[in-house]
Amino acid sequence: KINDVDTLASILEDRMRELDNEFRTNNQKVQSQLDLLLAAHETQQAEDLRHNKTWNLANQVDVILSVINSEMRTLRSDFDQKLSSAIIGGGKKDADSNDGPRDGSREVQDLEEKVKRLQDSQQQSMLKIAGLRSAHKHAEAQANFALEKLKRMQAEVGSIVDQVVMQQTRLDYLLV
């Protein structure tokens, strides 16, 4: 009977070690999965924040372009009106006085200068917009690269955690 009891005790001891090993392994796996979920959640929040910034940047670009285009339309219509009034009014004023065409040509020159300034401003704004878009694409590419690297590291850490848990359990059994 003592041999049976010793055999039964060694069987129970082995089973307890297996259960302890499974418990520790599962505990570490659950902890690493929770860490992965937390990291994924933080990554998603960062992605949402970046998306909102991207939308705001795109919105700003659209607003700048619409303001520039409306200013250009307004200036062109003013220019066309003054040019046509100068041409039509120029013939009538020639008969009345000699100062009329000079005033009309001065207005035309002023409008031409305004058009040039607005075109320069539009060109500078377009260059700034292109620079912003380029910077955004570069930042997005870097973020995607960092995210992929983080995912690879998470997978590696998960496998290392599993290996460490198994080694720790083996060491614990050797010490017992």
Side-chain angles (χ1 to χ4, degrees):
K1 285 188 171 187
I2 293 178
N3 287 337
D4 290 340
V5 171
D6 285 338
T7 308
L8 186 60
S10 69
I11 290 172
L12 287 174
E13 229 176 73
D14 288 341
R15 182 65 183 142
M16 287 298 291
R17 285 182 185 153
E18 288 175 13
L19 288 174
D20 186 46
N21 184 22
E22 288 177 15
F23 172 76
R24 289 181 187 205
T25 303
N26 284 334
N27 189 22
Q28 289 292 334
K29 284 183 181 180
V30 166
Q31 186 61 38
S32 66
Q33 287 177 349
L34 285 174
D35 291 342
L36 287 174
L37 287 174
L38 181 62
H41 177 68
E42 289 173 354
T43 304
Q44 182 63 35
Q45 283 181 331
E47 180 71 24
D48 290 345
L49 182 62
R50 187 171 42 116
H51 176 71
N52 287 339
K53 286 181 181 179
T54 301
W55 185 85
N56 286 338
L57 177 64
N59 192 26
Q60 289 174 3
V61 167
D62 290 341
V63 168
I64 290 170
L65 286 175
S66 68
V67 167
I68 289 171
N69 288 334
S70 66
E71 287 293 321
M72 289 297 285
R73 279 192 298 262
T74 304
L75 187 63
R76 283 185 186 131
S77 67
D78 288 347
F79 179 73
D80 289 342
Q81 283 179 343
K82 289 188 179 186
L83 184 63
S84 63
S85 67
I87 290 173
I88 294 171
K92 294 179 182 177
K93 288 186 178 181
D94 278 344
D96 297 337
S97 68
N98 291 334
D99 292 337
R102 290 183 192 156
D103 289 340
S105 65
R106 186 173 187 183
E107 287 180 11
V108 170
Q109 287 176 349
D110 289 343
L111 286 175
E112 286 176 354
E113 288 176 18
K114 285 183 182 180
V115 168
K116 286 179 185 177
R117 282 195 312 260
L118 272 176
Q119 286 174 342
D120 289 342
S121 296
Q122 183 181 23
Q123 186 178 12
Q124 289 175 0
S125 297
M126 295 302 272
L127 289 174
K128 287 179 185 178
I129 289 168
L132 287 173
R133 285 182 179 160
S134 175
H136 169 69
K137 285 180 183 178
H138 177 70
E140 190 175 51
Q142 284 182 331
N144 287 337
F145 176 74
L147 183 62
E148 290 300 318
K149 189 174 181 180
L150 177 67
K151 286 179 182 178
R152 279 186 266 131
M153 289 175 63
Q154 285 176 342
E156 290 175 10
V157 166
S159 66
I160 291 171
V161 165
D162 289 342
Q163 291 174 0
V164 167
V165 168
M166 294 298 284
Q167 294 298 329
Q168 182 182 3
T169 305
R170 287 181 189 154
L171 286 175
D172 287 346
Y173 289 139
L174 290 175
L175 293 175
V176 173

